[in-house]
Amino acid sequence: MPTEPVLRHVVLFGFTPETTPDQLRTIEEAFAALPAQIPEIIAFEWGTDVSVENAARGYTHCFLVTFRDEAGRDVYLPHPAHQRFVDLVGPHIAQVLVLDYWSR
């Protein structure tokens, strides 16, 4: 765990009913490949909803991207690899929620 605060970038996706399991796998693999392409990402994890509370409101996937600072996030957002991912996932998104916060 970092001793200094880090910037967390949380992305939640809910996918269209037409999105196939193969397309989901491609999307998951593409997002997971970004840390190898964007050095400003210092940590990355993701998973799918397994909550028993039935409160996910249609979101099925959570991705957590960590940066040292805003400058790292500012490189990531327009980065060509990230933009290719955005183009890939875009047609499959029914809903998305993005939240950034500083760790405490």
Side-chain angles (χ1 to χ4, degrees):
M1 193 70 156
T3 57
E4 296 294 319
V6 292
L7 185 61
R8 307 275 195 213
H9 178 71
V10 181
V11 181
L12 302 176
F13 287 133
F15 293 98
T16 64
E18 300 79 25
T19 304
T20 68
D22 284 343
Q23 290 169 323
L24 278 177
R25 194 166 24 265
T26 298
I27 290 164
E28 294 162 355
E29 290 170 357
F31 209 151
L34 291 180
Q37 301 170 64
I38 305 172
E40 287 75 13
I41 297 172
I42 62 168
F44 175 86
E45 64 183 82
W46 73 276
T48 57
D49 179 48
V50 295
S51 176
V52 297
E53 297 181 81
N54 197 28
R57 298 188 175 144
Y59 294 103
T60 58
H61 287 66
C62 179
F63 297 86
L64 179 62
V65 185
T66 303
F67 304 98
R68 290 193 197 294
D69 51 31
E70 291 103 338
R73 181 193 51 199
D74 292 348
V75 169
Y76 163 81
L77 291 173
H79 192 284
H82 178 247
Q83 289 305 304
R84 284 190 299 276
F85 172 75
V86 169
D87 292 343
L88 170 73
V89 73
H92 302 286
I93 294 176
Q95 58 187 22
V96 61
L97 184 142
V98 177
L99 178 89
D100 293 353
Y101 69 92
W102 283 100
S103 65
R104 295 184 188 191

